[in-house]
Each structure stands twice: as C-alpha cells, then as structure tokens.
Amino acid sequence: MAFAKSIKITLLAVAGFVAVAALTLLLRQRRSDAGGMSHATAYDFGEVVQGQPVEHEFAWRNTQRTALAVDTVITAYASMLLAAIESLLSAVVADGMINDRHDSNQELMAQGIGRVVAPIELAPQDRVYFFTFRGEGPERELLVINHQDRPLWLNGVRSDNPRFRARTDTVIVGSRYRLTISLDPATPVGQDSARIELRTDSPQYPSLTIPARAFVDDVVSAFPRAVDFGQIAFNSIDEQVIGKKVILVQKHQGSGFKVLGATLDVPYMDVAVVAQPAGQSFLVNVTIVKRRAQPGDIHGTLRITTNDPAHPEFVLPVSGKML
C-alpha cells in the first residue's frame, strides 16, 4: 500500500559562508517488489542568520506494495543534521517499517542550501587587505549590516595603527552602515598591519574587530629580492625549472622606464635582460651553465641597473647548493 512520509530537517546556521547540507538515505527493499520511492528535491533556505535554526520538510512517497526500511543515513555537516536523523529513525520505528529480510538498496538525497550570515555582518568580507605602492593612499569599504531583531547603533571606531584610518557613515539608520578604512600614502615599503575596533550598542556584540594588512611595494621594484636556487641536483641543472631563475623588474607609475643592464660575478652563470611588451617591465634571466659549473655552494651577487634616478641599481644576493 502506498504512503507518503515527511521528514523534517532542522539546520543550525553555524558558519559565515554559503553552506550546503545533504542527507542521503539508503532504503532497503525486496528485489521482487514493484515500484520505488519518488525523488526528493533541494530547498534553498536563502539568507540565514548564524545561530538560528531553520526547518524544512522533505516528503518522499513510497509507491511499493510493501514497507521500506532505512538501512543507512549518510550526512554532510553531520552536526547540522542531527535533529533530522533522530526524527527520521524514530519515525521508521514508530511506523513499523523494519523488515527482517531485504535484498536490494535504493538511494535518495535531500539537500538544503543557504547563505549563513553573522548577526552583524561585515560585507563583502570581515577583513581588509591593501596591495599597493609607496605614495598611494588607497581606501577599502565594508558594509556593516544588522540582522538582529533590534536596531543597531554605532558608538565609534578606532584603529591601533595611525597609518590605518577608519571612519563610518550611515546608509540606513539602525540597519546598515559604511566602514571606510584608508591607508596613509606615507606608509613605508614593506608589510604593516592594524586592528580596527568597531563599537556598537548591541549587548551581545558590543565590539567587532576587523584585521587590516598592508603590503606596500616600491614604485620601481625587483621581485623576488634574491636569486635563491636552493638545493639542486647537479645532473638536473639543464632543466629550466631547476637551473634558471627569473627576476621581474618593473615600474608601476610614469613612463619611459628601462633596465639598462645586468651583471653577475658567478663565472658559471649567464644573465640576460628581456623587455616585456607592456614597456614598463623587464625580465632578468639567471641561468647556470652546466659545462662551466661544478658541485658545491653557490655564492654571488646580481646587479641590475636602471634609468630611474631614485632606483639606479638593485643588488640581489645569489645563493644555493649544487649536490
């Protein structure tokens, strides 16, 4: 006799990104029975606030003449589907669907999809990165989105590093704010970081911390800043990925930049400068010539000269070991 059975799946929103929860049922049935189970469908929960449970009922219809029993339950994100499994197994026992002897299996799947957001969401991400050059002052914007049941008010924002400046603006009162973080153009070449603290009137979330990092390169740069071959097998030197290193020299502002030349003080290495089609960048190729080399340590210096008055020369160490 055919019957319909609904299984309620309860998901607990526990992450701040798109989550997919799947429940796979392996149903035992007699090989001789006709019919089967109707296919389950996926359900989109939409936007779900972190920590709040959401529910949806999936219904399968048994079109066989005999009852089916659940043989195995397989889940993705098992902790999210614990309530669903308990509900399913209790329903199976209550309806007396367990048979003593079965000969084949049938597989069904239910899938829940949703975007899990924090009660106070920082979009598009909860941290800030700057990849920039000396003298530039870039800005990054984050939206502060309130998903709580009460209005949200901002009580201030501060940075523990004066090179990272932060300010807030109201987009929708009580619901949405803009957080702007700017990097001081005088930030020196290298890496820098800050922690931005956003204070709110929420009892549960009185403050939010946004990490910020800056990677500042010079207007004219050479990358990498060293020619390191590491430990290499002498017999494999002829392979380009082993016996050759490439340095990229480029200027990120202005025009007319040129690499005038490159020299090495390692006698068994060749160096060549190749201009790139873009016109502001050059490749400096350093190659070990096997017929002139011998196993041992690699020590030397690569000098690259340019026509830029502020960066007339780059001096890079050359190192490694040939085994």
Side-chain angles (χ1 to χ4, degrees):
M1 179 176 64
F3 72 95
K5 187 64 188 176
S6 294
I7 304 300
K8 180 180 290 186
I9 293 183
T10 301
L11 302 180
L12 180 63
V14 294
F17 46 82
V18 175
V20 178
L23 176 68
T24 301
L25 314 179
L26 296 181
L27 302 175
R28 296 181 297 180
Q29 66 182 91
R30 289 196 177 122
R31 192 180 303 277
S32 59
D33 289 339
M37 291 286 286
S38 61
H39 294 288
T41 58
Y43 180 76
D44 189 346
F45 288 91
E47 193 171 80
V48 181
V49 179
Q50 183 180 15
Q52 295 185 2
V54 291
E55 295 182 349
H56 179 71
E57 287 193 0
F58 291 91
W60 293 273
R61 182 172 180 80
N62 180 11
T63 59
Q64 299 182 141
R65 292 190 297 270
T66 58
L68 296 177
V70 175
D71 183 75
T72 308
V73 179
I74 305 171
T75 68
Y77 300 98
S79 61
M80 299 171 68
L81 293 168
L82 182 59
I85 298 170
E86 292 176 348
S87 170
L88 173 61
L89 295 181
S90 63
V92 169
V93 174
D95 285 356
M97 293 197 296
I98 299 295
N99 290 323
D100 293 331
R101 181 169 169 272
H102 301 275
D103 299 314
S104 63
N105 290 333
Q106 182 178 357
E107 181 178 305
L108 298 173
M109 175 174 282
Q111 186 180 72
I113 303 171
R115 191 176 81 89
V116 184
V117 297
I120 302 177
E121 179 188 5
L122 296 170
Q125 58 190 20
D126 60 357
R127 59 199 62 226
V128 168
Y129 294 99
F130 294 96
F131 297 91
T132 186
F133 306 102
R134 184 170 62 175
E136 295 185 349
E139 291 186 344
R140 299 288 183 268
E141 289 187 354
L142 300 179
L143 281 179
V144 183
I145 305 171
N146 181 29
H147 296 288
Q148 301 175 107
D149 294 332
R150 61 183 297 278
L152 176 72
W153 301 94
L154 301 186
N155 293 331
V157 62
R158 64 177 296 274
S159 168
D160 66 357
N161 185 337
R163 296 192 181 106
F164 295 76
R165 301 163 183 165
R167 70 176 189 273
T168 59
D169 301 288
T170 301
V171 179
I172 302 175
V173 175
S175 176
R176 187 172 292 224
Y177 301 87
R178 181 183 298 107
L179 171 63
T180 303
I181 302 171
S182 58
L183 185 68
D184 190 337
T187 302
V189 171
Q191 298 184 23
D192 209 342
S193 63
R195 294 174 67 85
I196 311 298
E197 182 186 8
L198 184 65
R199 297 187 297 275
T200 81
D201 71 336
S202 170
Q204 291 79 21
Y205 308 96
S207 67
L208 303 174
T209 300
I210 300 96
R213 295 196 66 184
F215 301 84
V216 183
D217 211 341
D218 217 331
V219 175
V220 178
S221 63
F223 181 84
R225 293 181 172 85
V227 184
D228 184 8
F229 286 92
Q231 290 190 350
I232 57 178
F234 183 79
N235 291 334
S236 302
I237 288 175
D238 289 336
E239 300 179 25
Q240 281 202 1
V241 295
I242 296 177
K244 180 180 179 179
K245 293 296 179 181
V246 179
I247 306 299
L248 173 64
V249 184
Q250 59 183 334
K251 186 172 184 177
H252 305 283
Q253 298 172 355
S255 60
F257 174 71
K258 290 183 180 180
V259 170
L260 302 178
T263 59
L264 265 171
D265 59 3
V266 183
Y268 52 82
M269 290 185 182
D270 286 346
V271 60
V273 177
V274 181
Q276 297 305 287
Q280 287 289 98
S281 61
F282 295 77
L283 298 181
V284 178
N285 300 320
V286 178
T287 307
I288 300 174
V289 181
K290 185 178 179 180
R291 67 177 183 275
R292 302 203 308 259
Q294 59 183 356
D297 293 336
I298 300 173
H299 294 292
T301 302
L302 170 66
R303 296 181 180 275
I304 303 171
T305 57
T306 81
N307 67 343
D308 186 81
H311 306 84
E313 184 180 61
F314 291 97
V315 180
L316 282 64
V318 181
S319 63
K321 187 178 183 67
M322 295 180 288
L323 303 176

